[in-house]
């Protein structure tokens, strides 16, 4: 494995879209606290059910002059234009998206709007910045490649075969970003990353949903036979990879990012149960594995994702630092220590979704 390159960033005003979501908020915190980034960050977010300003409350207080929040919808081109001009944007890191597969099955239209039309609007405005724009980094998912069998890994050259409305909308946005590089010379880079986990993840996704339900003694829903495999990456490793690509990636290139941590869903759920039993035993003394409930499978459920990240390793020196074992423990401890955040998330939107999807509140 190669070692990572040093960064002396040339960006002054980075527009981060979707910065109040899970990965976007971790990215902003990472840049301002862990990296030596000295410019401004303009966080543009619509604050959908998944966007939570609480994720960055400390950052907003500690970095009053360098962290700026703009509430806006990327589907609204006129609002975007004002924000671009006001802040003299010279770099874009585009996280904003509708991101949950199950929601895309129930209500796909928001996915088409935000993920495709919203990305198109951003690309158009980025183009209008001309030479002032140094980078447009488009954050995407490995789900665009479809599903793997028991063997093999997704490479950057793997053909796109998205299976859900979510992955299809992300695939469309990736292709549009690539086309803006080819046709207009926009300085685009793209990353396709595997499943993330860590602090501030909305509890509709597997890991935080299981942690929170297990703590509350609620059923732990496992889709199908529980043997679907994902390649899990601790969110800070993803943030570091994105920052490396923004600074050292070759324009027009795609980079796959993964955790080298393939796990069956059922194994993760059992692991979370056992760790919680050890560090916070249930009041009734029962083992949390008793809460595991197999439920109907997700339509079109991809069987396996796994990433070959040798390109970013060879070119930029990135590799994941966190193992799944240490990362999942850290994550569980974070949810245990941040009960106020969990409470703030469990609003109407969360309860409505849980009721709709799992038939309980
Ligand atoms: P998230 O759902 O937690 O956050 C999305 C954010 O985008 C929210 O703050 C939301 O308010 C904002 N947003 C949504 N629609 C918007 C709009 N129209 N205008 C402006 N803001 C809007 O998502 P996440 O898990 O942090 O994912 C971020 C990005 O990373 C997405 O592009 C996703 O496809 C990609 N990604 C996610 C994962 C993962 O495991 N979560 C893995 C690979 C790639
Ligand atoms: P998820 O976190 O929704 O991410 P993605 O679908 O983007 O991979 O789901 C991860 C895996 O966990 C996926 O195979 C579906 C499964 N899953 C469950 O078994 N139960 C659940 O309640 C959820 C939300 C997901």
């Amino acid at each position: 494995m190669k070692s990572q390159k040093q960064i002396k960033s040339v960006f002054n005003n980075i527009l981060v879209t979707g910065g109040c979501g899970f990965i976007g908020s971790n990215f902003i915190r990472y840049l301002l606290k862990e990296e030596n980034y000295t410019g401004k960050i303009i966080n543009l977010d619509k604050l959908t059910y998944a966007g939570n300003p609480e994720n960055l409350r400390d950052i907003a207080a500690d970095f009053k002059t360098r962290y700026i929040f703009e509430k806006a919808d990327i589907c609204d081109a006129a609002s975007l234009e004002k924000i671009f001009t006001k802040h003299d944007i010279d770099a874009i890191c585009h996280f904003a998206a509708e991101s949950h597969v199950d929601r895309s099955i129930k209500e796909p239209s928001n996915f088409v709007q935000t993920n495709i039309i919203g990305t198109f609007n951003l690309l158009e405005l980025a183009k209008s910045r001309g030479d002032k724009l140094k980078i447009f980094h488009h954050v995407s998912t490995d789900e665009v490649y479809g599903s793997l069998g028991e063997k093999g890994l997704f490479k950057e050259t793997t053909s796109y075969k998205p299976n859900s409305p979510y992955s299809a909308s992300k695939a469309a946005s990736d292709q549009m970003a690539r086309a803006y590089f080819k046709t207009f010379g926009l300085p685009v880079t793209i990353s396709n990353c595997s499943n993330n986990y860590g602090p501030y993840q909305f509890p509709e996704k597997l890991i935080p949903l299981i942690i929170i339900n297990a703590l509350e003694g609620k059923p732990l829903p496992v889709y199908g036979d529980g043997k679907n495999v994902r390649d899990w990456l601790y969110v800070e490793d993803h943030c570091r990879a994105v920052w490396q690509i923004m600074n050292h990636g070759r324009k027009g290139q795609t980079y796959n990012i993964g955790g080298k941590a393939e796990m069956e869903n059922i194994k993760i759920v059992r692991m979370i149960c056992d760790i919680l039993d050890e560090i916070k035993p249930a009041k009734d003394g029962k083992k949390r594995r008793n809460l595991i409930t197999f439920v109907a499978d997700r339509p079109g459920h991809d069987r396996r994702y796994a990433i070959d990240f040798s390109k970013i390793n060879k070119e930029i020196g990135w590799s994941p630092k966190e193992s799944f074992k240490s990362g999942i423990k850290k994550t569980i401890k974070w949810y245990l220590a941040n009960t106020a955040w969990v409470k703030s998330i469990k609003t109407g939107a969360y309860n409505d979704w849980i009721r709709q999807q799992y038939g309980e509140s």
Side-chain angles (χ1 to χ4, degrees):
M1 292 268 164
K2 284 185 70 176
S3 62
Q4 203 170 283
K5 290 185 181 176
Q6 290 300 310
I7 291 178
K8 197 168 177 294
S9 174
V10 294
F11 312 134
N12 295 313
N13 299 310
I14 305 178
L15 180 80
V16 175
T17 70
C20 289
F22 163 47
I23 307 174
S25 61
N26 275 285
F27 180 73
I28 291 174
R29 172 168 288 102
Y30 175 75
L31 241 58
L32 291 170
K33 292 210 151 175
E34 305 297 328
E35 285 287 347
N36 54 355
Y37 174 66
T38 52
K40 285 185 182 164
I41 292 181
I42 297 91
N43 173 10
L44 185 160
D45 199 299
K46 180 184 176 183
L47 299 182
T48 66
Y49 78 91
N52 183 0
E54 287 296 308
N55 296 5
L56 291 168
R57 184 205 277 268
D58 56 326
I59 295 293
D62 293 349
F63 296 90
K64 282 199 175 74
T65 54
R66 292 176 45 219
Y67 169 76
I68 297 149
F69 176 66
E70 293 278 6
K71 185 170 188 289
D73 184 343
I74 56 170
C75 299
D76 173 2
S79 298
L80 290 187
E81 192 169 1
K82 282 189 199 135
I83 293 166
F84 267 69
T85 314
K86 181 172 156 195
H87 296 291
D88 200 17
I89 300 302
D90 62 358
I92 298 169
C93 187
H94 176 33
F95 291 98
E98 288 292 338
S99 69
H100 189 37
V101 174
D102 292 320
R103 286 185 194 255
S104 81
I105 295 167
K106 289 224 154 80
E107 182 55 69
S109 65
N110 287 342
F111 289 72
V112 173
Q113 286 305 319
T114 289
N115 299 359
I116 306 178
I117 307 296
T119 301
F120 163 71
N121 284 339
L122 281 167
L123 288 164
E124 269 293 289
L125 275 163
K127 176 160 76 80
S128 74
R129 298 287 296 159
D131 289 346
K132 284 188 186 151
L133 194 90
K134 297 179 186 120
I135 186 83
F136 185 114
H137 183 70
H138 176 66
V139 178
S140 191
T141 165
D142 59 354
E143 304 193 21
V144 298
Y145 299 122
S147 184
L148 289 165
E150 284 191 6
K151 291 210 172 94
L153 301 171
F154 293 135
K155 296 178 185 301
E156 288 80 359
T157 49
T158 304
S159 57
Y160 275 29
K161 227 176 182 183
N163 290 318
S164 71
Y166 163 66
S167 52
S169 66
K170 291 297 292 187
S173 63
D174 294 8
Q175 306 286 24
M176 191 61 89
R178 201 184 143 276
Y180 269 63
F181 166 75
K182 277 277 176 190
T183 306
F184 305 113
L186 195 73
V188 169
T189 46
I190 299 172
S191 53
N192 292 89
C193 186
S194 60
N195 288 60
N196 283 213
Y197 68 101
Y200 302 102
Q201 188 167 28
F202 192 83
E204 63 187 354
K205 307 276 169 44
L206 180 72
I207 288 180
L209 181 106
I210 296 297
I211 296 173
I212 288 172
N213 279 15
L215 282 171
E216 294 179 353
K218 289 185 175 167
L220 308 179
V222 175
Y223 298 165
D225 64 1
K227 293 196 170 156
N228 301 67
V229 171
R230 301 290 183 261
D231 177 354
W232 295 90
L233 182 70
Y234 191 66
V235 65
E236 191 170 313
D237 276 328
H238 185 190
C239 295
R240 186 165 48 83
V242 166
W243 186 232
Q244 286 286 333
I245 296 168
M246 285 177 72
N247 286 278
H248 297 305
R250 283 185 294 135
K251 305 296 183 292
Q253 292 291 310
T254 284
Y255 295 91
N256 280 355
I257 308 169
K260 211 178 184 193
E262 284 185 55
M263 295 280 278
E264 283 181 356
N265 295 335
I266 186 66
K267 286 202 178 142
I268 295 180
V269 175
R270 288 192 187 125
M271 211 168 167
I272 294 173
C273 289
D274 297 349
I275 295 170
L276 277 175
D277 286 349
E278 196 188 309
I279 59 180
K280 197 171 168 51
K283 285 200 185 99
D284 60 9
K286 286 190 182 149
K287 296 280 176 221
R288 287 180 170 101
R289 284 187 183 210
N290 293 323
L291 299 169
I292 295 175
T293 311
F294 288 91
V295 299
D297 209 353
R298 171 190 280 172
H301 197 175
D302 287 336
R303 193 64 174 170
R304 177 171 165 261
Y305 304 144
I307 288 274
D308 176 347
F309 61 84
S310 54
K311 179 174 172 182
I312 185 174
N313 180 258
K314 275 196 200 104
E315 288 191 18
I316 303 179
W318 179 92
S319 58
K321 284 185 180 165
E322 199 75 53
S323 73
F324 189 74
K325 217 170 163 188
S326 62
I328 194 72
K329 271 198 181 154
K330 259 194 196 174
T331 304
I332 291 173
K333 285 184 181 158
W334 186 88
Y335 280 88
L336 284 171
N338 287 275
T339 46
W341 182 88
V342 172
K343 213 173 154 198
S344 80
I345 275 287
K346 295 185 74 182
T347 59
Y350 168 81
N351 293 327
D352 289 349
W353 171 251
I354 296 294
R355 211 172 297 121
Q356 211 193 109
Q357 180 74 356
Y358 304 102
E360 38 123 357
S361 60

